[in-house]
């Protein structure tokens, strides 16, 4: 770690969130009412490396695509001296080797006023957690279950049932796809609420440089060509199963983005038009000022810093 600036990165791993149903990417419904008005929010075109949770989550956390086992981002940042916390309401991640690994059940005991059935439990107490850290570099990973089927309508509190009526599950949705999409779009609206609240929390912490990154593990089929959910091999999968949201917010003065090239292949000083999940590892190392031989500047969404 090359400086003593107080910096925190909150990486939110979305579950089954597809680009096609995000207002931020041009979807016709207003299901990102808060994020669409958020200043300093960067929206990237992106694809996942797989169509199922275990492989998609691994790709988000590793430095490059390979059959070899690499030290994952939270494990590596922890070993380099950062304060790292993993909070999960999901499953399927590779082995996480850090001191603080908290499940939704454990967080429910810590925050009994919040319903642990929903992903809001992962966001509880984050400001206090960050500000009480004994270290000046903090990484928090929230592994959500936000939009996972087949029971989309169970993923959000009833107060977020904005689009009605809803199908309770995919089996019902096969008979009326519109009702299934209503339930799914409600999960995206709930995601919007949680991410916007997180950004508000980070923005209020003026003593810290802060960043929020949201990227999904894979996309989702919602009845197109009578296909539902996810998990098809990449060579057969429709775009909705691998075109994913990739959102980044940074506080004032915290890193500058590289320009995006109109071409798919870009120089080291530019970003290609469409990114993939391995950009997370290298971009987070930049944000946390971690100097490392594992760092690849070509896979960093931010401009070069002094920590090569």
């Amino acid at each position: 770690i090359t400086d003593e600036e107080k910096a925190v990165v909150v990486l939110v791993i979305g579950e089954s969130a597809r680009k096609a149903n995000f207002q931020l990417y041009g979807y016709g419904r207003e299901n990102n009412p808060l994020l669409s008005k958020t200043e300093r929010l960067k929206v990237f075109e992106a694809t996942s490396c797989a169509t199922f949770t275990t492989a998609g989550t691994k790709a988000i956390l590793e430095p490059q695509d390979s059959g070899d086992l690499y030290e994952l981002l939270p494990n590596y940042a922890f070993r380099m001296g950062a304060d790292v916390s993993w909070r999960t309401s999901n499953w399927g991640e590779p082995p996480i080797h850090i001191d603080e690994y908290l499940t939704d059940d454990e967080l429910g005991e810590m925050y009994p006023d919040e319903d642990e059935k929903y992903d809001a439990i992962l966001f509880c107490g984050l400001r206090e957690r960050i500000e009480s850290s004994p270290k000046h570099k903090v990484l928090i990973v929230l592994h959500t279950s936000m939009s996972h089927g087949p029971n989309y309508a169970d993923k959000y509190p009833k107060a977020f049932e904005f689009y009605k009526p809803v199908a309770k599950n995919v089996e019902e949705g096969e008979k009326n796809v519109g009702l299934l999409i209503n339930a799914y779009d409600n999960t995206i609206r709930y995601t919007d609420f949680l991410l916007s609240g997180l950004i508000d929390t980070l923005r209020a912490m003026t003593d810290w440089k802060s960043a929020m990154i949201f990227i999904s593990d894979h996309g989702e089929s919602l009845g197109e060509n009578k296909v539902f959910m996810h998990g098809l091999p990449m060579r057969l999968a429709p775009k909705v199963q691998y075109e994913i949201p990739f959102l980044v917010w940074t506080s004032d003065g915290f890193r500058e983005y590289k320009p995006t090239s109109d071409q798919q292949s870009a120089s080291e000083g530019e970003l290609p038009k469409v990114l993939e999940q391995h950009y997370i590892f290298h971009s987070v190392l930049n944000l946390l000022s971690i100097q490392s031989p594992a760092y690849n500047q070509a896979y960093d969404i931010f401009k070069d810093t002094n920590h090569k």
Side-chain angles (χ1 to χ4, degrees):
I1 296 175
T2 60
D3 63 50
E4 294 187 0
E5 179 180 63
K6 293 171 74 171
V8 56
V9 178
V10 183
L11 169 61
V12 184
I13 300 175
E15 169 61 67
S16 304
R18 70 185 215 170
K19 165 194 163 183
N21 285 57
F22 267 66
Q23 179 190 352
L24 291 168
Y25 288 93
Y27 185 49
R29 279 182 160 174
E30 191 181 353
N31 61 354
N32 297 139
L34 302 174
L35 291 177
S36 62
K37 298 178 178 67
T38 298
E39 294 183 0
R40 301 186 60 83
L41 184 71
K42 187 81 169 175
V43 179
F44 290 104
E45 299 286 333
T47 58
S48 63
C49 298
T51 63
F52 56 99
T53 297
T54 51
T57 304
K58 176 176 175 286
I60 291 169
L61 301 177
E62 66 184 0
Q64 65 187 69
D65 189 15
S66 172
D68 295 333
L69 182 63
Y70 284 92
E71 193 169 18
L72 304 172
L73 175 62
N75 305 344
Y76 188 61
F78 176 71
R79 187 165 65 83
M80 291 297 101
D83 179 7
V84 182
S85 177
W86 183 283
R87 295 177 168 205
T88 182
S89 61
N90 208 329
W91 61 278
E93 70 265 6
I96 307 299
H97 300 301
I98 60 176
D99 282 348
E100 185 172 287
Y101 180 100
L102 296 167
T103 66
D104 49 357
D105 289 339
E106 291 168 320
L107 289 163
E109 294 177 7
M110 294 169 61
Y111 304 103
D113 292 337
E114 188 69 51
D115 192 337
E116 66 190 62
K117 287 190 304 184
Y118 304 115
D119 277 324
I121 194 68
L122 304 182
F123 295 73
C124 285
L126 284 183
R127 179 168 185 169
E128 294 77 13
R129 171 63 182 84
I130 296 162
E131 293 184 330
S132 65
S133 175
K135 300 192 174 181
H136 53 269
K137 303 295 181 186
V138 178
L139 171 62
I140 294 176
V141 185
L142 308 180
H143 188 198
T144 71
S145 60
M146 283 175 171
S147 301
H148 200 293
N151 304 317
Y152 304 116
D154 291 340
K155 292 296 181 180
Y156 53 85
K158 288 302 176 186
F160 288 86
E161 196 154 273
F162 186 81
Y163 302 107
K164 303 176 183 179
V166 300
K168 295 301 181 185
N169 51 48
V170 168
E171 187 177 6
E172 283 187 18
E174 289 176 348
K175 301 166 188 170
N176 191 327
V177 171
L179 303 191
L180 189 71
I181 292 172
N182 282 348
Y184 183 85
D185 285 351
N186 288 332
T187 72
I188 304 304
R189 200 172 170 102
Y190 184 47
T191 299
D192 178 80
F193 168 77
L194 294 175
L195 296 181
S196 176
L198 171 59
I199 291 170
D200 288 344
T201 296
L202 296 174
R203 186 186 288 117
M205 296 169 51
T206 54
D207 289 344
W208 290 75
K209 297 293 187 185
S210 56
M212 185 283 300
I213 301 174
F214 173 80
I215 189 167
S216 189
D217 57 355
H218 52 76
E220 190 84 337
S221 286
L222 295 173
E224 298 87 359
N225 297 315
K226 298 185 177 179
V227 177
F228 293 87
M229 294 187 63
H230 54 267
L232 287 177
M234 285 293 283
R235 67 183 184 278
L236 301 175
K239 287 183 177 181
V240 289
Q241 288 195 26
Y242 60 80
E243 290 187 341
I244 55 171
F246 182 176
L247 314 176
V248 183
W249 176 90
T250 56
S251 60
D252 291 344
F254 193 25
R255 304 291 189 260
E256 293 182 17
Y257 296 101
K258 292 177 183 175
T260 301
S261 172
D262 290 335
Q263 307 300 319
Q264 182 52 45
S265 59
S267 70
E268 187 172 291
E270 298 177 322
L271 295 174
K273 188 175 181 180
V274 180
L275 308 186
E276 43 99 335
Q277 291 164 321
H278 295 110
Y279 280 80
I280 299 296
F281 183 98
H282 306 280
S283 302
V284 171
L285 290 194
N286 184 327
L287 291 167
L288 296 177
S289 300
I290 294 176
Q291 182 179 12
S292 167
Y295 171 75
N296 184 344
Q297 219 276 325
Y299 279 79
D300 184 351
I301 65 174
F302 301 103
K303 289 184 178 178
D304 197 8
T305 64
N306 296 322
H307 74 287
K308 281 191 176 182

